[in-house]
Amino acid sequence: MMTLPALRRPTPARGAAIRLLLALFVVLTLELGVFNLAHWQSLSGSSSNSPTRTAGDVASQSHQLGPGLSPLPGGGLKVTDPAGAWMDVPVANGRASFLQAQLAEDIKGSPLSQIHVRLDLHLAGDKGWTQGTRGLICPGQARSHYLRIRGNPNGGRIQAMRLWIQEPVGSQLELTGMTPADVVPLELNPARILMLACLAALILGYLPGSVLWRTRLDTGSISQRLALALILAPLAVWSCWSIQYDLSTFTPVAYHHPQAYVYDFNQYDHVAQALLHGRPWLDLGQAPGLSKAANPFDIATRNALLAQDQQPIFWDYVYHNGHWYSYFGVLPVLLLFLPYRAVTSLAHPGGYALPTSSAAALLVTAATIMTALATIRLLARWFPRVSLAVVGMALITMLEGSGMVYLWCRRNFYTIPFDASILAVMTGLWLWMGARRVHRQPADTDKHSDRGSTRMWTVEDGGQPWRLSRPRLFLGSLSIAATLGCRPTFLAAGLLALPLFAKEIRAVINTLFARRSHPADLSRKRALSLLVCGLLPVILVAAPLLWYNRWRFGSLLDFGNRYQMTVLDLTNYHPGTQGLLQIFGYYLLQPLTTLPVFPYLQFSPAPMRVWHFTEPGLGGLLVTTPVLVLALVLIVLPRVRKELQRRGWMPALILALALAALVMAADSYVGGFSVRYTIDFAWLICLAAVVIMAAASLAYEGGRFRAGAAVMSLLTLTCLAGLVLTLINAMVLLEHFDPSQAMNVAVWFLAP
C-alpha cells in the first residue's frame, strides 16, 4: 500500500549514509566531469594530435586585423566598423580543438566586460568560409577565455580561422588575439561546488523518509531557529557587502543623449533634499519651452522640444505648475534617504546621497526575512503539527512566487516601493498573527525558555480564553497602513484583518454596540481601546500623507501620478477595457520563451490586439510557479476543504483570492502589463496556496489513501520545478540588470 513520504519509517543510518555517499559522488561527477568536460576532451585531443604542432608553427602566423579593428595605444583593440571587425587566428596543425584568448593588461578607457565573438573556418577543399562557434569572452572570467572550435563535423583539415567581433562601433576590447590551446586547465569552482551541494541537500531532504518529513515544526526549537538563521545568513551577508560597496563607489549620475529625455534615477534623494530645504518640489532644471507650452504633457509638444534639444526633460518624473516632483511614495524617503542626508551633513556640507541600490538591498533583505517569519507564524498558528518539509515548500512558494527574486535582481528606484510595501505587509501580518494570546501553561514553560506569561494562540487551543495584545495590534495596523506611503495597492492587505480577527471584531462590536450579552472578560473600556489600537494607526499614517498631497498638488487625494512624463499624456488618457482579458492572460499564463543556450529562457513578448502599455515578461505567474495551480486545484478535494473549514481558513482564503483578482484588474486597467506589477497581487495568491498546501498535508497525513501520496508527491515536484524556473529567470534578470553578476554563473555553462 502506498504511504505518504512523511509517514514512512525513518531511513536507517546505513541508508542515510548510502544516500550521502551517492550525493557526494554525483556532485563530484558533475564538477569534475560535466563542468570540466572540455579539460578531458582537450587532453584526449592533445594526445592524438600530430606532433608537428609546435610553438614555432603558431608564432609564425600573425594576427592580421580586418579593416574594422584598430589597435589601441596601450594594447587592446577598438571596433571602428562592425562589417570588418575580424582577425585571423593562427592555425597550428590544422586539427586544433580549442583556442585561448590573448588579453592586454591595464588598457585605458572602459573596455567591454563581455565580448561576443564568432569563429569562422576555412576547411581544406572548400571554396568559402564555414560559420562555426559563437561564443562570449569575458576578460574577468578565465574559464571563458577558451573557445571550442565547431563547424567541422567531418574532421577536415583547417586551413584558416577568422574571429569576428560582434560588438558596436566604438567598443574597446582587451582582446588582442587567439591562439590554439593544447589543454584547457582543470577548474574546481568553490561557488559551483557549494551550489551543487545545496541542490543535493535539497533533493535528499525531500526524499521519502527524510528528516524533513519526520520532523514537526516547533518555533521554540533552538535548532530549528538556528537552521533558519543559517539559511537566511548568506542573503544578509551579501546585502551588507553590497551596501558597503555601493556606499564607497556611488556617484549620482543622470543619463542623457542629444534630443532625448534625461534619465535620473536618484528621485528619492532629490525628494530628501527638497524636504530638508522645506519645499515639496525638486530643485531640478527644466527645458525653457516646457513651462511655456500650452500642454507640456502632449507627446507632440514634448517631441518638438526634444527635437530642438531643449533640456532637461526628465523621464518618469512628475511635472506640475512649473516644478518637478516624484510620484513615488514618500515614506522610504522619510525612513532612509532623508536621515542619511541629515546624518552625513554632519561630516560634509549638505550631506551625501544614499545610493538607491543600497536602500533597495536593505529593504529587500528585511522583506525576505519578514516574509519567511510571517509564513512560519501562519503555519505555527493554524497548522502547528505540519512537517518541516511542508514548511520548506511553503517558504519556497512564498519567496519564488511573490516576486522576491525579481526584487533581489533589480535594485533600483522602481523596486523601492515594492520592497518597502512587502516589508510593511509581512511585518504587519506577523504582528497581527501573534496578537491573539493565551496564558502559558506549566508544560509550555518547561518546554521553552520563553518566560512570558502568555504565548501565541494556535488552533489547537480551541476555545481557551484569549486576550488580544494591544501593542501588537497597534504596531501591526501601523505597519499595514504604512503601505499608503510606499505603494497604495498593498493596502488591500488591511482587509485580511476581517477574517483574522473575526472573533475579536464580533466581541468588540457586541460589547460596544449590542444590547445583548457580551463576553464577560471584555469590558467596554478594553473593547474601546482595542478599536482605537486597530484604527488609530490608519489615521496617524494617512493624515500626514494626504496633507503632503495637498502641499504638492492642492488636493488630498491627488498623488500626482497623472502628471508623469512617460509614454503618453496621462492627463487626457482614458484606458479602455478591451484588452484587459489579454493582460490577465499575460499576468497568469504568459508562455515561456526558450533559448538553445544558457540561461535557456528569455523575456517573452507581450503584443496586444488593442494598444495598452506592456513590457516583455518572464512567463505568467501560474507558469513560473506551477505549485500554485496544483494548490488551487486541491480546493475541490473534500478532505482539503474540510480541513480548511475546521481551521477557519475558508473566509480568509476566499478574501485573499478575491483581493488578488481585484488588484490585478486595477493594475491591468491603469498600468497595463509589467513584471513588477505582478508583485502587487502575487503574494496574496501565494499566501492562499501555502494555506491549501498545509491543509492538504494534514488532511492526508494518515497515509491510508493512494491519493494522499500522489498529492504530496506532486506538490513536492511542482514546488521544486518552480524553484528551478525561478533560478533560471533570476539569471535572465541579471543578464539585463547586472551582467557582471550573471557572468559569474553563466561561464559555468558558456565555457567550452
Side-chain angles (χ1 to χ4, degrees):
M1 181 181 295
M2 186 177 294
T3 58
L4 285 180
L7 298 175
R8 291 178 179 172
R9 288 189 176 183
T11 305
R14 182 179 177 183
I18 293 175
R19 288 182 176 184
L20 288 175
L21 290 175
L22 181 60
L24 178 62
F25 173 78
V26 172
V27 169
L28 292 178
T29 300
L30 291 173
E31 176 63 19
L32 294 175
V34 176
F35 289 105
N36 278 283
L37 183 61
H39 168 73
W40 306 111
Q41 291 177 332
S42 66
L43 285 179
S44 175
S46 64
S47 62
S48 62
N49 280 343
S50 170
T52 59
R53 178 178 178 179
T54 65
D57 295 327
V58 177
S60 64
Q61 302 186 47
S62 61
H63 291 88
Q64 181 179 348
L65 300 180
L69 292 177
S70 63
L72 293 171
L77 300 170
K78 182 177 181 179
V79 178
T80 57
D81 180 11
W86 53 263
M87 66 172 66
D88 284 335
V89 178
V91 179
N93 60 0
R95 297 186 184 279
S97 298
F98 297 91
L99 298 176
Q100 182 179 3
Q102 304 298 314
L103 303 173
E105 296 182 0
D106 300 327
I107 71 171
K108 298 180 180 180
S110 301
L112 295 179
S113 60
Q114 303 177 25
I115 307 171
H116 293 82
V117 298
R118 188 190 76 223
L119 182 68
D120 292 351
L121 308 179
H122 189 196
L123 305 177
D126 291 351
K127 295 182 179 180
W129 290 89
T130 300
Q131 288 192 9
T133 308
R134 292 180 181 272
L136 188 64
I137 298 174
C138 306
Q141 300 288 342
R143 194 63 170 176
S144 70
H145 298 175
Y146 294 88
L147 194 65
R148 185 190 297 272
I149 300 174
R150 294 186 175 92
N152 186 14
N154 298 324
R157 184 178 180 84
I158 301 174
Q159 290 187 329
M161 293 185 289
R162 177 167 288 177
L163 187 77
W164 285 85
I165 309 298
Q166 300 181 314
E167 297 293 350
V169 175
S171 299
Q172 297 184 34
L173 319 173
E174 294 181 63
L175 181 68
T176 60
M178 303 285 291
T179 57
D182 287 327
V183 177
V184 177
L186 181 71
E187 180 194 47
L188 297 179
N189 189 306
R192 184 167 59 211
I193 294 174
L194 179 61
M195 185 207 71
L196 292 174
C198 291
L199 182 61
L202 185 64
I203 294 174
L204 288 177
Y206 279 96
L207 289 178
S210 71
V211 66
L212 288 182
W213 288 109
R214 291 182 281 112
T215 306
R216 301 297 183 181
L217 173 64
D218 181 5
T219 56
S221 168
I222 300 298
S223 60
Q224 291 187 20
R225 291 183 178 186
L226 180 60
L228 179 63
L230 291 176
I231 292 172
L232 296 175
L235 298 178
V237 171
W238 180 88
S239 178
C240 292
W241 176 88
S242 178
I243 292 171
Q244 180 274 332
Y245 176 81
D246 291 342
L247 289 175
S248 61
T249 60
F250 174 71
T251 301
V253 176
Y255 302 93
H256 169 241
H257 296 284
Q259 299 181 343
Y261 290 93
V262 175
Y263 294 87
D264 187 334
F265 300 145
N266 305 294
Q267 289 201 19
Y268 283 102
D269 181 63
H270 291 319
V271 176
Q273 293 184 69
L275 294 178
L276 283 173
H277 287 86
R279 59 173 181 265
W281 44 267
L282 312 182
D283 188 17
L284 298 173
Q286 59 179 291
L290 202 61
S291 60
K292 300 177 182 178
N295 181 11
F297 307 101
D298 179 65
I299 300 298
T301 300
R302 278 189 270 161
N303 288 340
L305 294 175
L306 292 173
Q308 301 169 22
D309 201 21
Q310 290 201 26
Q311 294 299 329
I313 302 179
F314 291 95
W315 176 259
D316 218 6
Y317 277 62
V318 165
Y319 186 75
H320 182 67
N321 290 340
H323 291 293
W324 293 107
Y325 299 87
S326 172
Y327 65 90
F328 290 89
V330 73
L331 195 57
V333 175
L334 299 176
L335 296 179
L336 295 176
F337 291 85
L338 190 149
Y340 186 83
R341 270 280 179 186
V343 171
T344 55
S345 66
L346 300 176
H348 181 271
Y352 294 103
L354 175 65
T356 305
S357 57
S358 294
L362 176 63
L363 290 172
V364 74
T365 302
T368 302
I369 293 172
M370 289 311 305
T371 299
L373 294 179
T375 303
I376 292 172
R377 176 160 285 186
L378 183 153
L379 296 175
R381 177 168 169 175
W382 282 281
F383 306 92
R385 295 191 301 113
V386 76
S387 70
L388 290 185
V390 176
V391 175
M393 289 193 292
L395 292 177
I396 291 174
T397 300
M398 283 299 297
L399 295 177
E400 76 180 17
S402 63
M404 202 67 71
V405 172
Y406 177 90
L407 298 177
W408 275 98
C409 295
R410 191 183 188 189
R411 294 176 294 114
N412 68 355
F413 78 98
Y414 282 114
T415 59
I416 290 285
F418 297 93
D419 295 329
S421 295
I422 289 184
L423 172 59
V425 165
M426 293 302 165
T427 302
L429 291 178
W430 180 79
L431 289 166
W432 275 356
M433 287 186 290
R436 185 187 293 178
R437 316 294 294 179
V438 295
H439 287 290
R440 191 178 297 278
Q441 302 298 320
D444 298 325
T445 305
D446 295 338
K447 186 177 180 181
H448 303 307
S449 59
D450 190 345
R451 298 180 180 179
S453 60
T454 64
R455 60 169 174 82
M456 181 182 69
W457 177 92
T458 71
V459 71
E460 292 183 340
D461 291 318
Q464 183 177 339
W466 50 263
R467 291 177 67 86
L468 205 60
S469 169
R470 285 173 290 189
R472 290 179 175 86
L473 177 62
F474 180 88
L475 294 176
S477 299
L478 188 69
S479 186
I480 297 290
T483 58
L484 180 63
C486 303
R487 185 166 173 83
T489 47
F490 282 84
L491 277 173
L495 294 178
L496 293 178
L498 298 177
L500 289 179
F501 296 118
K503 294 181 179 179
E504 291 84 348
I505 292 173
R506 285 195 297 268
V508 168
I509 292 177
N510 289 338
T511 300
L512 293 178
F513 305 107
R515 293 184 178 180
R516 60 178 181 272
S517 62
H518 55 78
D521 59 341
L522 185 64
S523 65
R524 294 181 64 87
K525 181 179 179 180
R526 182 169 179 83
L528 183 61
S529 68
L530 291 176
L531 185 64
V532 170
C533 288
L535 298 180
L536 180 60
V538 179
I539 299 174
L540 293 178
V541 172
L545 291 177
L546 297 181
W547 174 85
Y548 180 63
N549 287 343
R550 188 175 184 278
W551 188 29
R552 295 184 299 167
F553 308 120
S555 172
L556 295 175
L557 300 179
D558 191 346
F559 289 86
N561 55 303
R562 293 182 302 148
Y563 314 122
Q564 299 174 53
M565 288 293 182
T566 183
V567 292
L568 65 158
D569 179 3
L570 290 178
T571 60
N572 294 311
Y573 173 63
H574 303 285
T577 59
Q578 296 89 340
L580 288 185
L581 290 179
Q582 192 175 1
I583 296 177
F584 295 164
Y586 285 139
Y587 274 124
L588 298 177
L589 300 170
Q590 184 187 35
L592 302 174
T593 302
T594 59
L595 282 174
V597 295
F598 184 84
Y600 312 117
L601 294 178
Q602 61 180 332
F603 277 96
S604 304
M608 295 290 295
R609 289 187 296 270
V610 295
W611 190 91
H612 216 113
F613 175 76
T614 61
E615 295 177 350
L618 292 170
L621 176 63
L622 301 183
V623 175
T624 57
T625 316
V627 71
L628 299 181
V629 179
L630 181 59
L632 295 177
V633 169
L634 290 178
I635 300 179
V636 304
L637 299 180
R639 290 173 64 89
V640 176
R641 288 204 310 271
K642 182 179 179 181
E643 193 71 28
L644 290 169
Q645 291 169 350
R646 188 171 73 86
R647 298 173 187 275
W649 251 97
M650 283 302 292
L653 202 65
I654 295 172
L655 179 61
L657 294 175
L659 290 175
L662 182 64
V663 173
M664 182 179 68
D667 277 346
S668 301
Y669 180 74
V670 178
F673 173 71
S674 176
V675 176
R676 64 181 182 273
Y677 295 162
T678 309
I679 303 171
D680 284 337
F681 57 86
W683 70 273
L684 284 162
I685 300 177
C686 292
L687 188 72
V690 164
V691 172
I692 298 170
M693 187 186 306
S697 70
L698 295 180
Y700 291 103
E701 72 173 351
R704 294 171 296 175
F705 300 92
R706 292 180 180 271
V711 165
M712 296 311 300
S713 298
L714 285 175
L715 279 174
T716 302
L717 291 175
T718 54
C719 188
L720 296 179
L723 179 61
V724 172
L725 286 174
T726 300
L727 294 177
I728 295 175
N729 275 336
M731 294 306 304
V732 177
L733 289 165
L734 287 176
E735 279 193 334
H736 282 76
F737 304 125
D738 196 348
S740 62
Q741 294 288 344
M743 288 312 303
N744 292 330
V745 178
V747 291
W748 302 351
F749 302 89
L750 296 174

